[in-house]
Amino acid sequence: MSETWQEELRSRGYRVTPQRQLVLEAVSVLEHGTPEEICTEVQRTAHGVNISTVYRTLELLEDLGLVKHTHLGHGPPTYHLATHADHVHLVCRGCGKVTDVSPRVADGLITVLRAEYGFETDVHHLTVYGECCENSPSVG
Amino acid sequence: MSETWQEELRSRGYRVTPQRQLVLEAVSVLEHGTPEEICTEVQRTAHGVNISTVYRTLELLEDLGLVKHTHLGHGPPTYHLATHADHVHLVCRGCGKVTDVSPRVADGLITVLRAEYGFETDVHHLTVYGECCENSPSVG
DNA sequence: ATGATTGCAAACAATTTGCACGGGA
DNA sequence: TCCCGTGCAAATTGTTTGCAATCAT
């Protein structure tokens, strides 16, 4: 981690542009954001970045390993910082809420899949669907 | 299981149509199929069912609990029979292969999430990304 | 100066919807 | 007969692409 991402970009022949900085910042602020939401967030701060630039930038940032994406449901993918990626997503079918939990909840799963199937789990991409407790009326 | 799905349909005020039978059959044959693939499969057998009917029918069949869907990646969702749903999907990032494994691999995960977060996991919807062993050159 | 990057608009892909006709109960 | 379900086409939504102008290096 001796290089900033800006230096990383330049060393690869890419350029550091305001749009790329803004998109990365928006991903950071939103924690979980779809391309559409990221575009809107950027527009709150600056003059605005075109949606197609958001798509192109997210692809680049993901390629650089700065951001990651997951599929949280039917809709568009959600992006988050790679440094913030160390968690598993719980998605409630009832209220739609997304909860981040420690990847350690999947330790058992990872072990079993590796032992029985030789399968290396990408825990950062793991999303678990179900129903959260707050979905019941007993909790405000 | 004292009722056929046809009776179930009728008792709910829905009608049993050839299209609905064909779509359900296609889901059964394909095991994992996107709406598009299901539509194509139906066309192999019969005169054809319109893609919008496929979407409407899948929604209905899922509502009745006859089929389920999962998101196996970027693209459209894949549908499978509910009776065939008792498994977890492993998706290999390398070769794209989808493997069905016993839901028991998630027993630990389910227990932890219930105990620590009061979260009821929908194991039938669970998809795990990673890399399968056959992705390595040591296996044919 | 040079060419990577952006904005815009049009192309694409996946899914949904409105409506008149046809077929199941 | 009644009206649910279908096909078709148009509308939406999400994403990609071509191209000229612009800006980082």
Side-chain angles (χ1 to χ4, degrees):
Chain A
M1 213 45 99
S2 56
E3 275 190 326
T4 65
W5 63 271
Q6 287 98 335
E7 289 166 339
E8 168 82 20
L9 265 185
R10 290 200 191 90
S11 71
R12 291 228 211 172
Y14 297 116
R15 292 176 182 178
V16 177
T17 66
Q19 286 89 342
R20 287 174 178 170
Q21 307 202 48
L22 288 164
V23 167
L24 188 56
E25 212 166 286
V27 171
S28 172
V29 170
L30 292 174
E31 295 199 355
H32 295 111
T34 63
E36 200 70 39
E37 291 166 346
I38 291 165
C39 192
T40 304
E41 171 64 24
V42 169
Q43 282 164 355
R44 296 200 323 115
T45 328
H47 172 264
V49 171
N50 191 277
I51 184 69
S52 61
T53 299
V54 172
Y55 278 103
R56 286 186 280 224
T57 302
L58 287 172
E59 189 181 356
L60 175 65
L61 295 178
E62 186 153 33
D63 189 50
L64 290 172
L66 290 169
V67 308
K68 287 177 167 285
H69 81 270
T70 328
H71 297 276
L72 257 36
H74 283 194
T78 67
Y79 287 79
H80 50 251
L81 290 185
T83 54
H84 178 258
D86 201 32
H87 60 256
V88 167
H89 297 106
L90 306 186
V91 180
C92 177
R93 191 188 298 307
C95 62
K97 197 175 76 170
V98 177
T99 309
D100 294 348
V101 304
S102 164
R104 296 191 50 206
V105 301
D107 280 353
L109 178 72
I110 291 168
T111 304
V112 171
L113 292 182
R114 183 181 297 137
E116 294 189 15
Y117 303 95
F119 188 89
E120 286 301 321
T121 300
D122 176 7
V123 70
H124 296 142
H125 203 291
L126 190 61
T127 298
V128 183
Y129 295 85
E131 296 208 341
C132 74
C133 59
E134 299 184 17
N135 206 25
S136 82
S138 61
V139 180
Chain B
M1 213 45 94
S2 57
E3 274 189 326
T4 65
W5 63 271
Q6 288 96 336
E7 289 167 338
E8 169 82 20
L9 266 184
R10 290 200 192 88
S11 70
R12 291 227 211 169
Y14 297 116
R15 293 176 182 176
V16 177
T17 66
Q19 285 88 340
R20 286 173 180 171
Q21 308 202 47
L22 288 165
V23 167
L24 188 56
E25 212 166 287
V27 171
S28 173
V29 169
L30 292 174
E31 294 198 357
H32 294 110
T34 64
E36 200 70 41
E37 292 166 345
I38 290 165
C39 193
T40 303
E41 171 63 24
V42 169
Q43 282 163 356
R44 297 199 324 114
T45 329
H47 172 263
V49 171
N50 192 276
I51 184 69
S52 61
T53 300
V54 171
Y55 279 105
R56 285 186 282 226
T57 301
L58 286 172
E59 190 181 355
L60 174 65
L61 294 178
E62 186 153 32
D63 190 51
L64 291 172
L66 290 170
V67 306
K68 288 176 167 287
H69 81 270
T70 327
H71 297 276
L72 256 35
H74 283 193
T78 67
Y79 288 79
H80 49 250
L81 289 185
T83 53
H84 178 257
D86 201 32
H87 60 256
V88 167
H89 297 106
L90 306 186
V91 180
C92 176
R93 194 189 295 307
C95 61
K97 199 177 75 171
V98 178
T99 308
D100 295 348
V101 304
S102 163
R104 296 193 49 208
V105 300
D107 282 351
L109 179 73
I110 292 169
T111 304
V112 170
L113 293 181
R114 182 181 297 137
E116 293 188 15
Y117 303 95
F119 187 89
E120 286 299 321
T121 300
D122 176 6
V123 71
H124 295 142
H125 202 292
L126 189 61
T127 297
V128 183
Y129 296 85
E131 295 207 343
C132 73
C133 60
E134 300 185 16
N135 209 24
S136 83
S138 61
V139 181

